[in-house]
Each structure stands twice: as C-alpha cells, then as structure tokens.
Amino acid sequence: MPDAPGDDASDWGLLEPLAFGSGSCALTGDDAVLAALIAVEAALTGAWADAGLAPAWLEEIASSLSGARVDRDALRRGARAGGNPVIPLVAALRDYTDRERPGAGDWIHRGATSQDILDSALMLVASRAIVVVADRLDNLGARLADLADEHRGSLMPGRTLTQHAAPITFGAKVAGWLDGVESAIAALGRIEPPVQLAGSVGIGSSFVDLTGSPDAPAALRAGLAARLGLADPGRSWQAERSPVTRLASALATALGALGRIAADLLVLARTEVAEVAEGGAGSSSAMPQKRNPATAVLIVAAAGRSPGLLSTLFSAMASADERAAGEWHSEWQALRQLLALAVEASEASAALFAGLVVDADRMRANVDLTAGLIYSEEVFSRLTRDRGRAEATAMVASAIDGPTPFAEAVPMELSTATTLVAAATVVDAALARRAARLRKRDAS
C-alpha cells in the first residue's frame, strides 16, 4: 500500500490525467490562489500610498508582503470558521506587518471586505491563465491552418447523423475546426478581468469614512487595478456578476471548440474508419491489440464538464442582497475548475496535433465504400437543374433501389470537381479569417 494521504494532503491529479504537464496546478492551484490573495492585499496597501492617503513608509510594507509566511492549517481552519480564506489571511498579514513595523497592520485590508480581495484574486489568477490558454490556442490554430492547406484536396466522406452524406475534404473539415479555435481566441481576447473594490455593501462608503473624500473609492480602485495589471471596471460588481459569467462563457467556448475537434477525431480513429490516429496512442489494460485515442478521450471529458460549471456560475447571478449568501461562494471552485480545464485541454490539443497521423488514402477509400451513393446529392441537384425536380426524384430513387451500382445506374459521370472547388473555398476563407486576425493583432 502506498502512503495514505492525510486530511491535510493536496490533490495530486490521480483522477485528472490532463493536468499532468499542463501547468494548470501552478496557474490555478491553491498556491496560485493564495499568492494572488496576498498580491491583492499588497496592491491595495500600496494603492493607499499611491493615492497620497497613507504614510510613505507603507510602500515598503506593501512590498514586503510577498515574503509573508502563512500557516496553511491555520488558514484552512479560519476559512472553515469564517466561510472564506480572506478572514484568517488578513489576520496573519496584520500580525506579520506589525512585527515588521508596529502599527503597520492597521493599513492591511484597509476599507476592504473579503469579497473585494477574493474576487480580485480570482480575476488575477484568471488573467494569467487565459493568456496561456489563448497562446496555446493560437499555436494550435497555426497547426490547423497548415493541416487545412495541406489536405485541401484530400477527399473524405462528409458524415451527418453518423452516416455518409456527401464528399468533403479533410482540409475543409480542419478549416471548420480552425474557425472554432479562432472564435475561442476572439472570445478570450474580449475578456479584460477587472478588480473589485467597493467595501462591505458595494458603494465604497468605508473608503469615504476613512479619508473624508468622496473620490477615494475610485482612486483606490484605479490604483489597485494599475498595480495588479487588471482592468478598472469603473464600478462595483459585487452583486452584479456579469464579469464572472463573461469570463466563464469564453472559457466554455474554448473548451467546446476543443471538445468538438476531439469528438471528431474519436470518430475518425475508430478501427472501421481508420482515417486518423494519435501518435503515441494509449494502450488497454486488457486488450493488447488496442491503440486508444486517449488524449482525445480526455479532451472530450474536459469539454463535457464545462456546461455544469457554467450552469453553476450563471445560477449564482440570481442572488439577493448586496452580498450573496452561498451563491458567491459557489463560484470559487466552478470558475477555478473552468480555468484549469481550459489550460489542460489547450495543452493536450496541441500535443495531440503535434503527433496526429492522417491517412488520406484511407479517407479516399471510404468515399468509394458505398459504390457512388455518396454522390447522390450532387446527382439529384444536377438532374433537378436539367430535368426538373419530379423527374430527378424518380431517377435517383430508381438508381438507389435498383440492382445496378449507383455509379453505373445514373445517367452521368460522377465527379469530385464541385466538391474540390467548394472545399477549397471553405479552406481559403478560414485561412483568410485567421490571417486577418493576425494582421490586426500585430498592428496593435
């Protein structure tokens, strides 16, 4: 038996295989959140000095907070007793700063409430994570663009409702994946994680009381935002939670785009389809012949978890009072898990495509699997154009149901020309959209 983790042990990823090597723990784990909480308290302390509302020596105190050592067990006990981790953290930081300079603890957390600190800290964590996710998606987009261009003429069956429908090209399929990734990049690019600073009831009255200035709430919020590199929302969002749901929606969009790609790959990697394969595919504990598309499976699983987390965050919007009793608390883990899943799935997707094996010959063979039936839509369209809908319907039905193979029964030669032209148009348009975004990004 391995050593049994105690009650104070951390999760180490046994049931989160995608977390391994993804950096999600460093970006979103408890240590990252604690560091962000301390960073927010330090930034708020410094913001008092920046605004000229505190003694000059406070800047040195603010800078020293990053070196504060916090007893994790005491922090957890305090969080359990008070309902959030900020309460015991503030006590610890005040003790620390009072030892550094007697009376300095009076300036820690000055005028703020726990929600100010935790909301701002989670947005700080998010700001770092979404940069990583967007960068990984951009790299994935580059690989997809190359793949779409390379396979613009690689014919394969287009499938609808699990059945062969009409021919497409693998390049056109990849172009659709690329559009999804580009949409996710755009959604993340519109997110500017904001600070929250408005005191106990969301109107900043504590800052006015402490300074005698009605301008203090805005000045301190702006100073906090500048120090953390977050957006100044120009308002309180303590009870109005759209900044959280906008962020969550962008993350879910990214996970959905990646999940859709992975789900497609799972179909294409089936034994009887065999059009793609994962490089370094997973093995089975019972069946030695299997080469499981393990990475795609885990990406689909990650995407499948995002709607439930998104639901939790949207449900939390419907809360009462100036500070929610329970709804706000339900956001913490849901948002953090969405961030972690996006970090993990984006890394896994990049790894998957780095080793993806594409079998264009098998794709072409699968087009021919139904002896020309896959061209029935094209045949029907051309016959309708030349002979009218009624005659076209009768002729195609007869060709499908008759004893002769469809390709021989129809009064025309089956051609891939239309498919190739249409697919190339799709590919070119997707590549142009990506190129336009990159030009705009580089010019900004």
Side-chain angles (χ1 to χ4, degrees), residues 320-383:
D321 299 330
E322 282 59 58
R323 290 182 65 192
E327 292 89 352
W328 172 59
H329 305 72
S330 72
E331 291 178 357
W332 309 342
Q333 285 285 62
L335 180 58
R336 184 167 69 161
Q337 287 173 19
L338 265 179
L339 287 165
L341 288 172
V343 170
E344 293 161 12
S346 58
E347 188 278 332
S349 297
L352 191 161
F353 275 92
L356 187 70
V357 177
V358 179
D359 190 339
D361 291 336
R362 176 71 175 193
M363 290 176 177
R364 186 64 179 84
N366 284 341
V367 170
D368 298 331
L369 195 62
T370 55
L373 278 175
I374 198 169
Y375 295 97
S376 60
E377 181 187 44
E378 177 192 351
V379 170
F380 178 73
S381 297
R382 290 164 61 187
L383 286 173

Short mmCIF file of all heavy atoms in Angstrom, two decimals, residues 320-383:
data_model
loop_
_atom_site.label_atom_id
_atom_site.label_comp_id
_atom_site.label_asym_id
_atom_site.label_seq_id
_atom_site.Cartn_x
_atom_site.Cartn_y
_atom_site.Cartn_z
N ALA A 320 -29.50 37.42 -3.85
CA ALA A 320 -30.17 38.52 -3.16
C ALA A 320 -29.18 39.34 -2.35
O ALA A 320 -28.08 38.88 -2.04
CB ALA A 320 -31.27 37.97 -2.24
N ASP A 321 -29.58 40.55 -2.02
CA ASP A 321 -28.84 41.44 -1.14
C ASP A 321 -27.59 42.00 -1.81
O ASP A 321 -27.27 41.69 -2.95
CB ASP A 321 -28.47 40.75 0.18
CG ASP A 321 -29.69 40.30 0.97
OD1 ASP A 321 -30.74 40.96 0.85
OD2 ASP A 321 -29.59 39.27 1.68
N GLU A 322 -26.87 42.80 -1.06
CA GLU A 322 -25.64 43.43 -1.55
C GLU A 322 -24.45 42.48 -1.54
O GLU A 322 -23.45 42.72 -2.20
CB GLU A 322 -25.33 44.69 -0.73
CG GLU A 322 -26.18 45.90 -1.10
CD GLU A 322 -27.66 45.64 -0.94
OE1 GLU A 322 -28.09 45.28 0.19
OE2 GLU A 322 -28.40 45.76 -1.95
N ARG A 323 -24.56 41.42 -0.77
CA ARG A 323 -23.58 40.33 -0.84
C ARG A 323 -24.34 39.02 -0.70
O ARG A 323 -25.19 38.88 0.17
CB ARG A 323 -22.51 40.46 0.25
CG ARG A 323 -21.57 41.62 0.03
CD ARG A 323 -20.50 41.68 1.10
NE ARG A 323 -19.63 40.53 1.07
CZ ARG A 323 -18.77 40.23 2.05
NH1 ARG A 323 -18.72 40.98 3.13
NH2 ARG A 323 -17.99 39.19 1.94
N ALA A 324 -24.02 38.08 -1.57
CA ALA A 324 -24.79 36.84 -1.65
C ALA A 324 -24.41 35.88 -0.52
O ALA A 324 -23.25 35.81 -0.10
CB ALA A 324 -24.55 36.16 -2.99
N ALA A 325 -25.39 35.13 -0.07
CA ALA A 325 -25.18 34.12 0.97
C ALA A 325 -25.20 32.74 0.32
O ALA A 325 -26.23 32.10 0.20
CB ALA A 325 -26.28 34.22 2.03
N GLY A 326 -24.04 32.32 -0.15
CA GLY A 326 -23.92 31.00 -0.76
C GLY A 326 -23.69 31.03 -2.25
O GLY A 326 -22.85 30.27 -2.76
N GLU A 327 -24.42 31.88 -2.96
CA GLU A 327 -24.24 31.91 -4.42
C GLU A 327 -22.82 32.36 -4.79
O GLU A 327 -22.18 31.76 -5.66
CB GLU A 327 -25.27 32.86 -5.06
CG GLU A 327 -26.69 32.37 -4.99
CD GLU A 327 -27.40 32.81 -3.72
OE1 GLU A 327 -26.74 33.38 -2.82
OE2 GLU A 327 -28.62 32.57 -3.62
N TRP A 328 -22.34 33.40 -4.14
CA TRP A 328 -20.97 33.85 -4.41
C TRP A 328 -19.98 32.75 -4.09
O TRP A 328 -19.05 32.48 -4.86
CB TRP A 328 -20.67 35.11 -3.58
CG TRP A 328 -19.24 35.55 -3.63
CD1 TRP A 328 -18.52 35.91 -4.72
CD2 TRP A 328 -18.35 35.67 -2.51
NE1 TRP A 328 -17.23 36.25 -4.38
CE2 TRP A 328 -17.10 36.11 -3.02
CE3 TRP A 328 -18.48 35.45 -1.14
CZ2 TRP A 328 -15.99 36.33 -2.19
CZ3 TRP A 328 -17.38 35.69 -0.32
CH2 TRP A 328 -16.15 36.12 -0.85
N HIS A 329 -20.18 32.09 -2.98
CA HIS A 329 -19.26 31.04 -2.55
C HIS A 329 -19.23 29.88 -3.55
O HIS A 329 -18.20 29.22 -3.72
CB HIS A 329 -19.68 30.52 -1.17
CG HIS A 329 -19.78 31.60 -0.13
ND1 HIS A 329 -20.82 32.51 -0.14
CD2 HIS A 329 -19.00 31.90 0.94
CE1 HIS A 329 -20.66 33.34 0.88
NE2 HIS A 329 -19.57 33.00 1.55
N SER A 330 -20.35 29.65 -4.21
CA SER A 330 -20.40 28.54 -5.18
C SER A 330 -19.57 28.83 -6.42
O SER A 330 -19.24 27.91 -7.18
CB SER A 330 -21.85 28.26 -5.58
OG SER A 330 -22.37 29.28 -6.43
N GLU A 331 -19.25 30.09 -6.64
CA GLU A 331 -18.48 30.46 -7.84
C GLU A 331 -17.02 30.02 -7.76
O GLU A 331 -16.41 29.72 -8.80
CB GLU A 331 -18.48 31.99 -8.02
CG GLU A 331 -19.79 32.60 -8.39
CD GLU A 331 -19.69 34.11 -8.51
OE1 GLU A 331 -18.59 34.67 -8.25
OE2 GLU A 331 -20.68 34.73 -8.87
N TRP A 332 -16.45 30.03 -6.58
CA TRP A 332 -14.99 29.93 -6.46
C TRP A 332 -14.42 28.71 -7.20
O TRP A 332 -13.58 28.85 -8.08
CB TRP A 332 -14.56 29.87 -5.00
CG TRP A 332 -15.10 30.93 -4.11
CD1 TRP A 332 -15.65 32.14 -4.48
CD2 TRP A 332 -15.17 30.89 -2.68
NE1 TRP A 332 -16.05 32.84 -3.39
CE2 TRP A 332 -15.76 32.11 -2.27
CE3 TRP A 332 -14.78 29.96 -1.72
CZ2 TRP A 332 -15.98 32.39 -0.92
CZ3 TRP A 332 -14.99 30.24 -0.38
CH2 TRP A 332 -15.59 31.45 0.01
N GLN A 333 -14.90 27.53 -6.78
CA GLN A 333 -14.36 26.31 -7.39
C GLN A 333 -14.80 26.14 -8.83
O GLN A 333 -14.04 25.64 -9.66
CB GLN A 333 -14.79 25.09 -6.57
CG GLN A 333 -14.03 24.92 -5.26
CD GLN A 333 -12.62 24.39 -5.49
OE1 GLN A 333 -11.79 25.02 -6.16
NE2 GLN A 333 -12.35 23.22 -4.94
N ALA A 334 -16.04 26.55 -9.14
CA ALA A 334 -16.52 26.40 -10.51
C ALA A 334 -15.65 27.20 -11.48
O ALA A 334 -15.25 26.70 -12.54
CB ALA A 334 -17.98 26.84 -10.61
N LEU A 335 -15.35 28.44 -11.13
CA LEU A 335 -14.52 29.26 -12.00
C LEU A 335 -13.11 28.70 -12.09
O LEU A 335 -12.53 28.61 -13.17
CB LEU A 335 -14.49 30.70 -11.50
CG LEU A 335 -13.64 31.67 -12.33
CD1 LEU A 335 -14.13 31.72 -13.76
CD2 LEU A 335 -13.66 33.06 -11.71
N ARG A 336 -12.57 28.31 -10.95
CA ARG A 336 -11.20 27.78 -10.97
C ARG A 336 -11.12 26.50 -11.79
O ARG A 336 -10.15 26.28 -12.52
CB ARG A 336 -10.70 27.55 -9.55
CG ARG A 336 -9.25 27.10 -9.53
CD ARG A 336 -8.64 27.15 -8.18
NE ARG A 336 -9.17 26.15 -7.27
CZ ARG A 336 -8.53 25.76 -6.17
NH1 ARG A 336 -7.37 26.29 -5.86
NH2 ARG A 336 -9.06 24.87 -5.36
N GLN A 337 -12.12 25.63 -11.68
CA GLN A 337 -12.09 24.40 -12.45
C GLN A 337 -12.22 24.67 -13.95
O GLN A 337 -11.56 24.00 -14.76
CB GLN A 337 -13.21 23.47 -11.98
CG GLN A 337 -12.93 22.85 -10.62
CD GLN A 337 -14.11 22.06 -10.08
OE1 GLN A 337 -15.01 21.68 -10.82
NE2 GLN A 337 -14.11 21.82 -8.78
N LEU A 338 -13.04 25.64 -14.33
CA LEU A 338 -13.12 26.02 -15.74
C LEU A 338 -11.77 26.50 -16.26
O LEU A 338 -11.34 26.14 -17.36
CB LEU A 338 -14.17 27.11 -15.95
CG LEU A 338 -15.57 26.70 -16.35
CD1 LEU A 338 -16.45 27.93 -16.47
CD2 LEU A 338 -15.58 25.93 -17.66
N LEU A 339 -11.11 27.33 -15.47
CA LEU A 339 -9.78 27.81 -15.86
C LEU A 339 -8.81 26.65 -16.02
O LEU A 339 -8.08 26.56 -17.02
CB LEU A 339 -9.25 28.79 -14.81
CG LEU A 339 -9.90 30.17 -14.78
CD1 LEU A 339 -9.55 30.89 -13.48
CD2 LEU A 339 -9.46 31.00 -15.98
N ALA A 340 -8.81 25.74 -15.05
CA ALA A 340 -7.89 24.60 -15.10
C ALA A 340 -8.18 23.72 -16.30
O ALA A 340 -7.26 23.29 -17.02
CB ALA A 340 -7.99 23.79 -13.81
N LEU A 341 -9.45 23.44 -16.57
CA LEU A 341 -9.81 22.59 -17.71
C LEU A 341 -9.38 23.22 -19.03
O LEU A 341 -8.92 22.53 -19.94
CB LEU A 341 -11.32 22.34 -17.71
CG LEU A 341 -11.84 21.41 -16.61
CD1 LEU A 341 -13.37 21.42 -16.61
CD2 LEU A 341 -11.32 19.99 -16.79
N ALA A 342 -9.54 24.54 -19.15
CA ALA A 342 -9.13 25.21 -20.38
C ALA A 342 -7.62 25.15 -20.56
O ALA A 342 -7.12 24.94 -21.68
CB ALA A 342 -9.62 26.65 -20.38
N VAL A 343 -6.88 25.35 -19.48
CA VAL A 343 -5.42 25.23 -19.53
C VAL A 343 -5.03 23.82 -19.96
O VAL A 343 -4.16 23.63 -20.83
CB VAL A 343 -4.81 25.58 -18.16
CG1 VAL A 343 -3.33 25.22 -18.12
CG2 VAL A 343 -5.00 27.07 -17.86
N GLU A 344 -5.66 22.83 -19.35
CA GLU A 344 -5.30 21.44 -19.62
C GLU A 344 -5.68 21.01 -21.03
O GLU A 344 -4.89 20.39 -21.75
CB GLU A 344 -5.99 20.55 -18.59
CG GLU A 344 -5.46 20.74 -17.18
CD GLU A 344 -6.39 20.25 -16.09
OE1 GLU A 344 -7.37 19.55 -16.40
OE2 GLU A 344 -6.14 20.58 -14.91
N ALA A 345 -6.91 21.33 -21.45
CA ALA A 345 -7.37 20.88 -22.76
C ALA A 345 -6.61 21.57 -23.89
O ALA A 345 -6.37 20.96 -24.95
CB ALA A 345 -8.87 21.14 -22.90
N SER A 346 -6.23 22.82 -23.69
CA SER A 346 -5.47 23.52 -24.74
C SER A 346 -4.08 22.91 -24.89
O SER A 346 -3.57 22.77 -26.01
CB SER A 346 -5.39 25.01 -24.44
OG SER A 346 -4.79 25.27 -23.19
N GLU A 347 -3.46 22.54 -23.78
CA GLU A 347 -2.14 21.90 -23.85
C GLU A 347 -2.26 20.53 -24.51
O GLU A 347 -1.45 20.16 -25.37
CB GLU A 347 -1.55 21.77 -22.45
CG GLU A 347 -0.10 21.29 -22.41
CD GLU A 347 0.04 19.77 -22.52
OE1 GLU A 347 -0.90 19.05 -22.11
OE2 GLU A 347 1.09 19.31 -23.01
N ALA A 348 -3.29 19.76 -24.12
CA ALA A 348 -3.46 18.42 -24.66
C ALA A 348 -3.76 18.46 -26.16
O ALA A 348 -3.29 17.60 -26.92
CB ALA A 348 -4.58 17.71 -23.92
N SER A 349 -4.52 19.43 -26.60
CA SER A 349 -4.85 19.54 -28.01
C SER A 349 -3.62 19.84 -28.85
O SER A 349 -3.44 19.29 -29.95
CB SER A 349 -5.91 20.64 -28.23
OG SER A 349 -7.11 20.31 -27.58
N ALA A 350 -2.77 20.71 -28.33
CA ALA A 350 -1.52 20.99 -29.05
C ALA A 350 -0.67 19.74 -29.16
O ALA A 350 -0.09 19.46 -30.22
CB ALA A 350 -0.76 22.11 -28.33
N ALA A 351 -0.59 18.98 -28.07
CA ALA A 351 0.19 17.74 -28.09
C ALA A 351 -0.40 16.73 -29.06
O ALA A 351 0.32 16.02 -29.77
CB ALA A 351 0.26 17.16 -26.68
N LEU A 352 -1.73 16.65 -29.09
CA LEU A 352 -2.39 15.69 -29.97
C LEU A 352 -2.05 15.97 -31.43
O LEU A 352 -1.70 15.05 -32.19
CB LEU A 352 -3.90 15.77 -29.73
CG LEU A 352 -4.80 14.70 -30.33
CD1 LEU A 352 -6.15 14.67 -29.61
CD2 LEU A 352 -5.04 14.91 -31.81
N PHE A 353 -2.15 17.25 -31.83
CA PHE A 353 -1.92 17.56 -33.23
C PHE A 353 -0.44 17.53 -33.61
O PHE A 353 -0.11 17.41 -34.79
CB PHE A 353 -2.56 18.90 -33.59
CG PHE A 353 -4.00 18.76 -33.95
CD1 PHE A 353 -4.98 18.89 -32.99
CD2 PHE A 353 -4.38 18.45 -35.24
CE1 PHE A 353 -6.32 18.73 -33.31
CE2 PHE A 353 -5.71 18.28 -35.59
CZ PHE A 353 -6.68 18.43 -34.61
N ALA A 354 0.42 17.62 -32.63
CA ALA A 354 1.86 17.50 -32.92
C ALA A 354 2.19 16.11 -33.44
O ALA A 354 3.14 15.93 -34.20
CB ALA A 354 2.68 17.83 -31.68
N GLY A 355 1.39 15.11 -33.02
CA GLY A 355 1.68 13.74 -33.43
C GLY A 355 0.58 13.08 -34.26
O GLY A 355 0.63 11.87 -34.50
N LEU A 356 -0.42 13.86 -34.70
CA LEU A 356 -1.55 13.26 -35.41
C LEU A 356 -1.11 12.65 -36.74
O LEU A 356 -0.37 13.27 -37.51
CB LEU A 356 -2.62 14.33 -35.67
CG LEU A 356 -3.93 13.81 -36.26
CD1 LEU A 356 -4.69 13.00 -35.24
CD2 LEU A 356 -4.79 14.96 -36.77
N VAL A 357 -1.57 11.43 -37.00
CA VAL A 357 -1.29 10.73 -38.26
C VAL A 357 -2.55 10.77 -39.10
O VAL A 357 -3.63 10.34 -38.66
CB VAL A 357 -0.86 9.27 -38.00
CG1 VAL A 357 -0.63 8.54 -39.31
CG2 VAL A 357 0.38 9.24 -37.12
N VAL A 358 -2.44 11.28 -40.31
CA VAL A 358 -3.58 11.40 -41.23
C VAL A 358 -3.38 10.42 -42.39
O VAL A 358 -2.34 10.44 -43.05
CB VAL A 358 -3.71 12.84 -41.77
CG1 VAL A 358 -4.88 12.93 -42.75
CG2 VAL A 358 -3.89 13.83 -40.63
N ASP A 359 -4.39 9.58 -42.63
CA ASP A 359 -4.31 8.59 -43.72
C ASP A 359 -5.25 9.05 -44.85
O ASP A 359 -6.43 8.69 -44.88
CB ASP A 359 -4.72 7.21 -43.20
CG ASP A 359 -4.44 6.10 -44.21
OD1 ASP A 359 -4.33 6.41 -45.42
OD2 ASP A 359 -4.35 4.93 -43.80
N ALA A 360 -4.73 9.83 -45.76
CA ALA A 360 -5.54 10.37 -46.86
C ALA A 360 -6.01 9.27 -47.80
O ALA A 360 -7.11 9.37 -48.37
CB ALA A 360 -4.75 11.43 -47.63
N ASP A 361 -5.21 8.23 -47.98
CA ASP A 361 -5.62 7.12 -48.85
C ASP A 361 -6.84 6.40 -48.28
O ASP A 361 -7.75 6.02 -49.01
CB ASP A 361 -4.47 6.13 -49.03
CG ASP A 361 -3.33 6.72 -49.84
OD1 ASP A 361 -3.57 7.66 -50.62
OD2 ASP A 361 -2.19 6.23 -49.68
N ARG A 362 -6.83 6.21 -46.97
CA ARG A 362 -7.98 5.57 -46.33
C ARG A 362 -9.23 6.44 -46.45
O ARG A 362 -10.33 5.94 -46.68
CB ARG A 362 -7.66 5.31 -44.86
CG ARG A 362 -8.81 4.72 -44.06
CD ARG A 362 -9.09 3.28 -44.44
NE ARG A 362 -10.11 2.72 -43.58
CZ ARG A 362 -10.40 1.43 -43.50
NH1 ARG A 362 -9.72 0.56 -44.24
NH2 ARG A 362 -11.34 1.00 -42.69
N MET A 363 -9.06 7.73 -46.32
CA MET A 363 -10.19 8.65 -46.49
C MET A 363 -10.79 8.48 -47.88
O MET A 363 -12.01 8.40 -48.04
CB MET A 363 -9.73 10.09 -46.28
CG MET A 363 -9.36 10.42 -44.86
SD MET A 363 -8.71 12.11 -44.71
CE MET A 363 -8.48 12.20 -42.93
N ARG A 364 -9.93 8.45 -48.89
CA ARG A 364 -10.42 8.31 -50.28
C ARG A 364 -11.11 6.97 -50.47
O ARG A 364 -12.15 6.89 -51.13
CB ARG A 364 -9.25 8.45 -51.26
CG ARG A 364 -9.69 8.45 -52.73
CD ARG A 364 -10.54 9.69 -52.97
NE ARG A 364 -10.99 9.80 -54.36
CZ ARG A 364 -12.05 9.20 -54.86
NH1 ARG A 364 -12.77 8.41 -54.08
NH2 ARG A 364 -12.40 9.38 -56.12
N ALA A 365 -10.57 5.91 -49.87
CA ALA A 365 -11.20 4.60 -49.98
C ALA A 365 -12.58 4.58 -49.33
O ALA A 365 -13.51 3.94 -49.83
CB ALA A 365 -10.30 3.54 -49.34
N ASN A 366 -12.72 5.31 -48.24
CA ASN A 366 -14.02 5.35 -47.57
C ASN A 366 -15.05 6.12 -48.38
O ASN A 366 -16.25 5.85 -48.27
CB ASN A 366 -13.87 5.98 -46.18
CG ASN A 366 -13.24 5.02 -45.18
OD1 ASN A 366 -13.23 3.81 -45.38
ND2 ASN A 366 -12.72 5.56 -44.09
N VAL A 367 -14.60 7.06 -49.20
CA VAL A 367 -15.53 7.76 -50.10
C VAL A 367 -16.16 6.75 -51.07
O VAL A 367 -17.35 6.83 -51.41
CB VAL A 367 -14.80 8.87 -50.88
CG1 VAL A 367 -15.68 9.43 -52.00
CG2 VAL A 367 -14.39 9.99 -49.94
N ASP A 368 -15.36 5.78 -51.52
CA ASP A 368 -15.82 4.79 -52.50
C ASP A 368 -16.55 3.62 -51.86
O ASP A 368 -17.00 2.70 -52.57
CB ASP A 368 -14.63 4.26 -53.29
CG ASP A 368 -13.93 5.36 -54.09
OD1 ASP A 368 -14.62 6.33 -54.47
OD2 ASP A 368 -12.71 5.26 -54.30
N LEU A 369 -16.72 3.65 -50.55
CA LEU A 369 -17.25 2.49 -49.82
C LEU A 369 -18.68 2.14 -50.25
O LEU A 369 -19.07 0.97 -50.24
CB LEU A 369 -17.23 2.80 -48.32
CG LEU A 369 -17.39 1.65 -47.35
CD1 LEU A 369 -16.26 0.65 -47.49
CD2 LEU A 369 -17.43 2.18 -45.91
N THR A 370 -19.47 3.13 -50.66
CA THR A 370 -20.88 2.89 -50.98
C THR A 370 -21.14 2.88 -52.48
O THR A 370 -22.28 3.09 -52.92
CB THR A 370 -21.77 3.95 -50.32
OG1 THR A 370 -21.33 5.26 -50.71
CG2 THR A 370 -21.70 3.84 -48.81
N ALA A 371 -20.11 2.63 -53.25
CA ALA A 371 -20.25 2.46 -54.70
C ALA A 371 -20.96 3.64 -55.36
O ALA A 371 -21.82 3.47 -56.22
CB ALA A 371 -20.98 1.15 -55.01
N GLY A 372 -20.63 4.84 -54.94
CA GLY A 372 -21.15 6.04 -55.57
C GLY A 372 -22.34 6.67 -54.89
O GLY A 372 -22.74 7.79 -55.23
N LEU A 373 -22.97 5.99 -53.92
CA LEU A 373 -24.15 6.56 -53.26
C LEU A 373 -23.86 7.90 -52.59
O LEU A 373 -24.75 8.74 -52.46
CB LEU A 373 -24.68 5.58 -52.20
CG LEU A 373 -25.58 4.45 -52.72
CD1 LEU A 373 -25.91 3.50 -51.58
CD2 LEU A 373 -26.86 5.01 -53.34
N ILE A 374 -22.61 8.11 -52.20
CA ILE A 374 -22.26 9.35 -51.52
C ILE A 374 -22.40 10.56 -52.44
O ILE A 374 -22.47 11.71 -51.97
CB ILE A 374 -20.83 9.25 -50.94
CG1 ILE A 374 -20.61 10.31 -49.85
CG2 ILE A 374 -19.79 9.34 -52.04
CD1 ILE A 374 -19.33 10.10 -49.06
N TYR A 375 -22.50 10.30 -53.76
CA TYR A 375 -22.66 11.40 -54.71
C TYR A 375 -24.13 11.67 -55.05
O TYR A 375 -24.42 12.47 -55.94
CB TYR A 375 -21.92 11.08 -56.01
CG TYR A 375 -20.42 10.99 -55.86
CD1 TYR A 375 -19.80 9.76 -55.69
CD2 TYR A 375 -19.63 12.13 -55.88
CE1 TYR A 375 -18.42 9.67 -55.54
CE2 TYR A 375 -18.25 12.06 -55.73
CZ TYR A 375 -17.65 10.82 -55.56
OH TYR A 375 -16.30 10.73 -55.43
N SER A 376 -25.05 11.04 -54.35
CA SER A 376 -26.46 11.14 -54.75
C SER A 376 -26.99 12.57 -54.65
O SER A 376 -27.84 12.97 -55.47
CB SER A 376 -27.32 10.19 -53.91
OG SER A 376 -27.23 10.52 -52.54
N GLU A 377 -26.53 13.33 -53.68
CA GLU A 377 -26.99 14.72 -53.59
C GLU A 377 -26.57 15.51 -54.82
O GLU A 377 -27.36 16.28 -55.40
CB GLU A 377 -26.46 15.38 -52.33
CG GLU A 377 -26.93 16.84 -52.19
CD GLU A 377 -26.27 17.56 -51.02
OE1 GLU A 377 -25.05 17.42 -50.84
OE2 GLU A 377 -26.99 18.28 -50.31
N GLU A 378 -25.31 15.33 -55.23
CA GLU A 378 -24.83 16.05 -56.41
C GLU A 378 -25.61 15.64 -57.65
O GLU A 378 -26.02 16.48 -58.47
CB GLU A 378 -23.34 15.77 -56.61
CG GLU A 378 -22.77 16.42 -57.86
CD GLU A 378 -21.39 15.91 -58.22
OE1 GLU A 378 -20.79 15.17 -57.42
OE2 GLU A 378 -20.92 16.24 -59.33
N VAL A 379 -25.83 14.33 -57.78
CA VAL A 379 -26.58 13.84 -58.94
C VAL A 379 -27.99 14.41 -58.95
O VAL A 379 -28.49 14.87 -60.00
CB VAL A 379 -26.61 12.29 -58.93
CG1 VAL A 379 -27.59 11.77 -60.00
CG2 VAL A 379 -25.23 11.73 -59.16
N PHE A 380 -28.64 14.39 -57.79
CA PHE A 380 -30.01 14.91 -57.70
C PHE A 380 -30.04 16.40 -58.06
O PHE A 380 -30.94 16.86 -58.78
CB PHE A 380 -30.55 14.70 -56.28
CG PHE A 380 -31.93 15.24 -56.07
CD1 PHE A 380 -33.02 14.61 -56.62
CD2 PHE A 380 -32.12 16.41 -55.35
CE1 PHE A 380 -34.30 15.11 -56.43
CE2 PHE A 380 -33.40 16.92 -55.16
CZ PHE A 380 -34.49 16.27 -55.71
N SER A 381 -29.07 17.17 -57.58
CA SER A 381 -29.03 18.61 -57.88
C SER A 381 -28.86 18.86 -59.37
O SER A 381 -29.53 19.72 -59.96
CB SER A 381 -27.91 19.28 -57.08
OG SER A 381 -28.14 19.18 -55.70
N ARG A 382 -27.97 18.10 -59.99
CA ARG A 382 -27.71 18.32 -61.41
C ARG A 382 -28.91 17.89 -62.25
O ARG A 382 -29.27 18.55 -63.25
CB ARG A 382 -26.45 17.58 -61.83
CG ARG A 382 -25.18 18.22 -61.25
CD ARG A 382 -23.97 17.31 -61.32
NE ARG A 382 -23.62 16.94 -62.69
CZ ARG A 382 -22.69 16.05 -63.02
NH1 ARG A 382 -22.01 15.43 -62.04
NH2 ARG A 382 -22.42 15.78 -64.27
N LEU A 383 -29.55 16.77 -61.88
CA LEU A 383 -30.73 16.33 -62.61
C LEU A 383 -31.89 17.30 -62.42
O LEU A 383 -32.67 17.55 -63.36
CB LEU A 383 -31.14 14.93 -62.15
CG LEU A 383 -30.24 13.78 -62.62
CD1 LEU A 383 -30.65 12.47 -61.96
CD2 LEU A 383 -30.31 13.64 -64.15
#
